[in-house]
């Protein structure tokens, strides 16, 4: 074996096994912490875990579960497991007593094996939680029993319903039995940050890239849509997201990509006249903040047509889905999207005037 390859191999092994060691240590330490928490609870008071660690749109979609579990266990001490990057989505939720910022799934596995929790609701479906460094999957026994997996999950309903079924909170293939409108818990610091941006009073917020390429619409099409919006309407066009892939010359366009936290982004969306974007995390923020959404969607993997949303977006009371059954989002023509967007903007304008 060449020296360079030998060094690469052992560097990889060092990072892998140090990561696994750290995950185990975190798991045992968390177990001790929650044993201490449990020892201080009143007699009969349960320690409950709810696990939905990623992605941020999924966490927003699952928010009604926090209130539903609270209604089932009003006196319980509820802990929500989440990845550190998404802590703010659950950290301000009044239904949740504590947030566990999960290092990786191995930490979770070690912690759950302690048996410290009286009730555990794992909201992930099969094949859905993986640590690439530990090279392990941690499976949810309820999802395995019900065969809810990455290939068929939308056969079980919208994301909220799928998560509630995966957690064993409701029977398989049933509707969510409580308030299904996702909520966010925006704080003063989020509004102050957006105040400092001095956005126009009338603006449309757009989101043009998801974390999964099959859901995307080509950048050149977005550029044409932004230019058309700027030419035809008196709105500022504000792009949000992690990073822009657009080249826009229109004066009405403003790029805020990479400048905001998740909840600051939610506050921008909340203030917008319309949200135009993809089936991705920010569209769930639009649903939770009450901004009318125009969502570009297409077929997805095994699903020729699907609906990920609950609440007002799910019922299309406060949203319009731009799609053609069986066609991926990337294949939607500019003319088709422009026509649908124009029909929504013009009809909503007439409604406001009346």
């Amino acid at each position: 074996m060449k020296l360079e390859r030998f060094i690469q191999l052992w560097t990889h092994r060092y990072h892998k096994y140090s990561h696994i060691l750290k995950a185990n240590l975190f798991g045992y330490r968390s177990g001790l912490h929650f044993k201490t928490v449990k020892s201080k609870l009143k007699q009969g008071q349960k320690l409950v875990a709810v696990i939905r660690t990623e992605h941020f749109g999924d966490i927003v979609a699952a928010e009604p579960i926090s209130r539903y579990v609270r209604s089932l266990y009003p006196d319980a001490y509820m802990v929500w497991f989440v990845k550190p990057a998404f802590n703010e989505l659950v950290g301000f939720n009044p239904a949740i007593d504590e947030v566990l910022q999960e290092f990786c799934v191995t930490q979770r596995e070690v912690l759950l094996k302690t048996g410290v929790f009286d009730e555990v609701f794992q909201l992930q479906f099969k094949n859905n939680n993986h640590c690439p460094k530990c090279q392990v999957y941690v499976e949810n026994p309820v999802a395995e029993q019900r065969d809810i997996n990455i290939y068929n999950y939308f056969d079980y309903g919208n994301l909220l319903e799928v998560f509630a079924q995966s957690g064993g909170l409701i029977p398989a293939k049933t509707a969510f039995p409580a308030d299904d409108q996702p909520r966010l818990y925006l704080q003063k610091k989020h509004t102050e940050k957006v105040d400092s941006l001095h956005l126009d009073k009338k603006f449309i917020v757009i989101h043009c890239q998801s974390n999964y390429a099959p859901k995307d619409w080509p950048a050149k099409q977005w550029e044409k849509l932004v230019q058309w919006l700027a030419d035809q309407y008196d709105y500022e066009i504000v792009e949000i997201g992690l990073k822009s892939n657009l080249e826009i010359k229109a004066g009405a366009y403003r790029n805020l990509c990479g400048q905001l936290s998740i909840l600051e982004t939610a506050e921008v969306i909340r203030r917008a006249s319309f949200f135009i974007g993809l089936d991705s995390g920010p569209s769930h923020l639009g649903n939770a903040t009450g901004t009318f959404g125009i969502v570009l969607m297409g077929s997805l993997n095994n699903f020729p047509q699907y609906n990920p949303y609950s609440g007002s977006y799910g019922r299309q009371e406060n949203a319009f889905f731009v799609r053609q059954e069986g066609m991926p989002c990337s294949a939607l023509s500019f003319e088709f999207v422009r026509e649908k967007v124009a029909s929504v903007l013009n009809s909503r304008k007439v409604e406001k005037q009346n």
Side-chain angles (χ1 to χ4, degrees):
M1 182 183 293
K2 292 184 178 180
L3 178 61
E4 182 180 357
R5 176 58 184 150
F6 178 82
I7 293 172
Q8 289 175 345
L9 175 63
W10 282 99
T11 299
H12 168 76
R13 288 179 176 176
Y14 168 77
H15 287 299
K16 175 182 176 179
Y17 291 113
S18 62
H19 173 91
I20 292 172
L21 176 61
K22 186 181 292 186
N24 277 270
L25 289 173
F26 284 165
Y28 289 122
R29 188 172 70 182
S30 299
L32 290 172
H33 166 71
F34 287 115
K35 284 179 181 178
T36 302
V37 169
K38 193 170 185 178
S39 71
K40 296 178 181 179
L41 299 180
K42 298 175 183 177
Q43 186 174 2
Q45 189 178 8
K46 290 191 172 186
L47 182 62
V48 174
V50 181
I51 302 171
R52 183 69 228 178
T53 60
E54 56 179 343
H55 301 272
F56 90 76
D58 293 349
I59 296 167
V60 174
E63 184 278 336
I65 289 175
S66 67
R67 290 178 275 127
Y68 183 58
V69 172
R70 177 57 66 197
S71 72
L72 297 176
Y73 302 93
D75 300 321
Y77 189 91
M78 189 194 308
V79 182
W80 192 290
F81 291 39
V82 72
K83 286 193 172 181
F86 308 125
N87 174 58
E88 66 175 335
L89 285 171
V90 293
F92 302 111
N93 186 331
I96 298 169
D97 296 294
E98 185 174 342
V99 177
L100 174 68
Q101 298 188 52
E102 184 180 275
F103 176 69
C104 84
V105 295
T106 298
Q107 176 198 9
R108 180 202 312 167
E109 189 172 40
V110 171
L111 172 56
L112 294 183
K113 283 181 178 178
T114 67
V116 67
F117 291 99
D118 299 300
E119 301 286 349
V120 178
F121 302 108
Q122 302 192 55
L123 308 186
Q124 75 276 11
F125 37 86
K126 190 177 177 182
N127 320 115
N128 192 222
N129 268 202
H130 174 245
C131 177
K133 289 188 177 180
C134 296
Q135 296 180 333
V136 297
Y137 277 94
V138 173
E139 296 296 3
N140 171 4
V142 176
E144 284 192 301
Q145 181 184 12
R146 294 180 171 182
D147 192 33
I148 305 174
N149 57 60
I150 59 173
Y151 304 107
N152 68 7
Y153 62 99
F154 275 127
D155 295 338
Y156 290 79
N158 60 46
L159 287 176
L160 173 61
E161 292 166 342
V162 172
F163 297 150
Q165 291 169 53
S166 298
L169 286 160
I170 61 175
K173 297 193 175 181
T174 59
F176 191 69
D179 178 15
D180 69 348
Q181 179 60 47
R183 299 179 189 173
L184 292 173
Y185 302 92
L186 300 171
Q187 305 296 300
K188 183 179 179 181
K189 64 180 180 180
H190 304 127
T191 60
E192 288 178 344
K193 170 64 177 182
V194 178
D195 285 343
S196 71
L197 300 175
H198 303 293
L199 297 166
D200 282 359
K201 290 184 178 180
K202 286 180 59 178
F203 67 93
I204 294 172
V205 66
I206 62 171
H207 179 246
C208 308
Q209 290 186 88
S210 72
N211 65 352
Y212 188 53
K215 294 182 179 182
D216 289 347
W217 198 47
K220 293 300 181 183
Q221 303 286 50
W222 278 110
E223 291 168 0
K224 290 165 65 175
L225 186 69
V226 170
Q227 188 62 58
W228 171 77
L229 287 168
D231 291 341
Q232 297 297 318
Y233 298 92
D234 59 345
Y235 293 101
E236 184 178 31
I237 315 300
V238 177
E239 184 181 2
I240 51 92
L242 291 176
K243 184 179 179 180
S244 178
N245 62 344
L246 306 185
E247 296 181 7
I248 303 291
K249 298 179 180 179
Y253 166 79
R254 184 171 179 182
N255 180 6
L256 293 181
C257 292
Q259 301 176 41
L260 305 170
S261 72
I262 295 173
L263 288 186
E264 289 167 354
T265 299
E267 175 62 13
V268 170
I269 294 172
R270 187 189 69 81
R271 298 186 188 193
S273 300
F274 296 94
F275 169 87
I276 304 178
L278 306 163
D279 166 28
S280 59
S283 64
H284 290 278
L285 298 180
N287 189 18
T289 56
T291 296
F292 191 93
I294 303 173
V295 185
L296 280 61
M297 297 175 65
S299 60
L300 179 65
N301 300 332
N302 297 332
F303 312 110
Q305 187 160 305
Y306 68 101
N307 181 358
Y309 308 99
S310 64
S312 61
Y313 270 32
R315 293 183 287 274
Q316 296 187 62
E317 298 164 350
N318 200 38
F320 182 87
F321 298 161
V322 180
R323 61 183 175 187
Q324 293 177 286
E325 186 170 356
M327 181 179 292
C329 185
S330 61
L332 296 176
S333 71
F334 169 72
E335 291 74 20
F336 176 78
V337 173
R338 180 184 61 188
E339 176 190 345
K340 299 302 180 184
V341 171
S343 67
V344 173
L345 296 185
N346 295 339
S347 64
R348 298 285 296 184
K349 184 176 181 181
V350 170
E351 287 177 14
K352 290 179 180 180
Q353 290 175 342
N354 294 338

